[in-house]
Amino acid sequence: MARNLRFIETEQITQAVAELCVKANVCIGGDIRAALSKAQLRETSPLAGAVLALLSENAEIAERENLPVCQDTGMSVVFVWLGSDVHVNGDISVAINEGVRRGYRDGYCRNSVVRDPIDRINTGDNTPAVIHYDFTEGDFLRITVMPKGFGSENMSAVKMLKPSDGLSGAADFIVETVRLAEANPCPPIIAGVGIGGTLEKAALLSKQALLRDLGEINPQPLWADFEAGVLERINNLGIGAAGFGGRTTALGVNVLTYPTHIAGLPIAVNIGCHATRHRTIIL
Amino acid sequence: MKKITTPFTTKITESLCAGEQILLSGEIFTGRDAAHKRMTELLYSGLPLPFDINRQVIYYAGPCPAPQGRVIGSIGPTTSSRMDSYAPQLIQRGLRVMIGKGSRSKAVIDAIREHSGLYLAAVGGAGALLSLCVKSAELIAFEDLGAEAVYKLTIHEMPLIVAIDCKGKNIYNRN
């Protein structure tokens, strides 16, 4: 059967990525804004309540004044889903990196990427991005840009649990990771959790889990219950907003799972800050 | 909320308690990982620091570039613990106050106690709001470090919380 290919120019991708970089850095998602307001109403600690109010005010100022919500405008993590009926006229990775370059320059975002982990010389344009490609049916190209700050990235962790550790071992590892993170990841956090697969699959799932809307409940009842239980335990840690105590250490726990090996139970916890920024476009 | 203006005298630092919210005005300096590494290298070589740190304040922050018509871009605190290995020797040489986010090592807390210092916390992630408190920014040193260069900032009523006071009382200590 003959199929019509849709052609997408690299310039269109570059422009889209540039806009996503700026928007993601300036406008916090509506689900997170709502969760921050809701948490403020529930909060019993006056200091934590003041912090939550200040974070909401910060989100408003950023949007109004067109400023990044945070000075750590992150390393650019880009998720791409390429439809099978799409053909890109050129090098898609080059186009995405050019978009990051343009977006960070025009949006007055901070360049936070160094060319080598040891010599630490800044690349000066926030490239290269970390790009994850996936393939799907259809004639569209979906791009998500997630500027990932390192206050939260540094507190993330991966562990190869034993199958016998089971659900309770997984829950303990998530809670312990958040406990050790203390105030550093700018709580209230979102815990992205990947369980299963291999070492790198669990880590990738944990980052993708951060993309789930806070209003969305895990479609699998077992995992929905697990998430609620872990969230409760995290909010009993007493770290609280900005680490100043109170009930609001996390806004959500999002789990993604994948089949794994008979001998393993990999788990990764990717911590997202109070803003957990991301923006998506479908071309 | 107490309104405080720099420089910090010992009378001021001794009057503040962990958990207190303050509004800080006056001059402060920015400095984070790379600037601390350079300052430490200068000290080891017996060379002077790019600014007199006596009774001064360092804000652990690397701002976004200033959009047109603005003094500075977003400027929230970075994680302070990365500066823990550098801070005690700066405190011994007169640095009095640090602004950042998150807990500090025992060595830093001991130095704060010994020298009647303070550690103030800014709300992590509130970079846009905090940038509105900055009234002027002047490049002081290490221009090649970009966002990690040392800037002298004049701030007006920046909302901060006393995280570790001069007696070593620590707001992050939940036990």
Side-chain angles (χ1 to χ4, degrees):
Chain A
M1 188 178 75
R3 297 171 88 160
N4 287 330
L5 270 188
R6 202 184 136 211
F7 292 88
I8 296 182
E9 300 299 327
T10 51
E11 173 56 27
Q12 202 186 341
I13 295 169
T14 294
Q15 194 51 40
V17 168
E19 283 168 20
L20 290 174
C21 287
V22 177
K23 275 191 189 144
N25 273 303
V26 171
C27 307
I28 296 182
D31 58 330
I32 293 180
R33 295 275 289 268
L36 286 172
S37 303
K38 214 169 120 191
Q40 193 189 329
L41 294 175
R42 273 199 318 251
E43 186 55 69
T44 50
S45 151
L47 188 53
V51 168
L52 291 165
L54 191 141
L55 289 174
S56 289
E57 194 188 343
N58 182 64
E60 280 163 31
I61 290 170
E63 204 164 329
R64 189 181 69 222
E65 308 282 334
N66 200 27
L67 289 167
V69 287
C70 175
Q71 76 292 336
D72 185 352
T73 45
M75 189 159 191
S76 310
V77 179
V78 182
F79 294 98
V80 179
W81 289 266
L82 183 63
S84 51
D85 296 341
V86 170
H87 178 82
V88 175
N89 287 337
D91 188 325
I92 187 168
S93 297
V94 169
I96 288 169
N97 279 308
E98 181 55 29
V100 169
R101 195 172 286 127
R102 204 182 284 177
Y104 274 65
R105 183 194 63 207
D106 297 348
Y108 296 93
C109 297
R110 192 181 74 183
N111 296 321
S112 308
V113 175
V114 293
R115 68 175 190 185
D116 179 282
I118 301 303
D119 83 17
R120 309 203 70 81
I121 296 184
N122 200 301
T123 61
D125 58 10
N126 220 56
T127 66
V130 174
I131 309 172
H132 302 288
Y133 292 100
D134 211 338
F135 305 93
T136 180
E137 278 287 305
D139 65 349
F140 65 90
L141 174 65
R142 189 166 117 203
I143 304 172
T144 295
V145 172
M146 173 191 258
K148 191 65 173 71
F150 262 54
S152 54
E153 194 73 355
N154 277 337
M155 306 320 292
S156 303
V158 61
K159 192 170 183 189
M160 306 306 278
L161 296 177
K162 294 183 183 72
S164 61
D165 291 326
L167 264 187
S168 71
D172 289 348
F173 179 67
I174 302 164
V175 175
E176 182 62 4
T177 302
V178 176
R179 189 184 70 77
L180 292 172
E182 297 183 334
N184 297 342
C186 297
I189 61 141
I190 298 174
V193 182
I195 305 178
T198 48
L199 179 92
E200 87 287 2
K201 182 67 180 178
L204 182 56
L205 287 174
S206 72
K207 187 152 264 107
Q208 286 169 330
L210 288 175
L211 299 175
R212 197 178 91 198
D213 191 288
L214 279 174
E216 234 174 83
I217 294 170
N218 196 311
Q220 293 174 273
L222 170 95
W223 291 110
D225 284 353
F226 176 85
E227 289 173 357
V230 172
L231 181 61
E232 167 100 19
R233 281 180 64 187
I234 288 173
N235 283 330
N236 283 334
L237 288 171
I239 295 169
F244 302 149
R247 285 280 315 156
T248 323
T249 302
L251 299 175
V253 175
N254 298 350
V255 176
L256 282 175
T257 64
Y258 195 79
T260 191
H261 189 276
I262 49 172
L265 177 44
I267 180 167
V269 179
N270 195 196
I271 299 185
C273 67
H274 90 276
T276 305
R277 301 159 292 189
H278 52 88
R279 279 274 165 165
T280 300
I281 193 169
I282 295 171
L283 295 176
Chain B
M1 225 181 292
K2 266 190 203 164
K3 292 184 180 178
I4 308 279
T5 303
T6 64
F8 276 89
T9 60
T10 46
K11 197 177 159 201
I12 298 174
T13 58
E14 284 169 3
S15 72
L16 294 169
C17 297
E20 233 176 301
Q21 290 174 267
I22 66 165
L23 295 171
L24 185 66
S25 301
E27 279 181 2
I28 64 172
F29 293 87
T30 65
R32 47 171 290 154
D33 307 56
H36 275 76
K37 186 163 181 273
R38 290 235 183 131
M39 287 195 283
T40 304
E41 284 162 2
L42 289 173
L43 289 175
Y44 277 133
S45 315
L47 295 167
L49 293 177
F51 62 100
D52 182 8
I53 61 166
N54 198 34
R55 298 206 301 174
Q56 291 302 340
V57 183
I58 293 184
Y59 180 20
Y60 299 144
C64 286
Q68 276 181 343
R70 288 191 178 275
V71 170
I72 206 156
S74 286
I75 181 162
T78 196
T79 302
S80 304
S81 62
R82 293 198 316 273
M83 268 53 77
D84 280 357
S85 56
Y86 305 112
Q89 51 193 319
L90 293 178
I91 295 169
Q92 277 156 23
R93 283 170 170 81
L95 174 68
R96 183 152 285 159
V97 177
M98 297 150 286
I99 305 172
K101 66 163 163 141
S103 60
R104 308 305 302 267
S105 68
K106 186 177 177 297
V108 175
I109 297 172
D110 288 347
I112 288 171
R113 265 214 310 250
E114 199 180 322
H115 297 273
S116 283
L118 271 183
Y119 170 53
L120 304 171
V123 170
L129 182 144
L130 291 164
S131 79
L132 301 185
C133 305
V134 179
K135 301 305 166 192
S136 73
E138 182 193 342
L139 177 73
I140 294 294
F142 313 140
E143 186 174 9
D144 61 301
L145 295 180
E148 293 205 66
V150 173
Y151 286 87
K152 182 163 82 178
L153 308 179
T154 307
I155 57 169
H156 180 70
E157 299 194 348
M158 184 178 273
L160 302 168
I161 285 124
V162 179
I164 299 171
D165 63 27
C166 69
K167 294 180 190 70
K169 197 170 165 232
N170 181 359
I171 192 179
Y172 294 115
N173 198 342
R174 299 193 305 282
N175 303 317

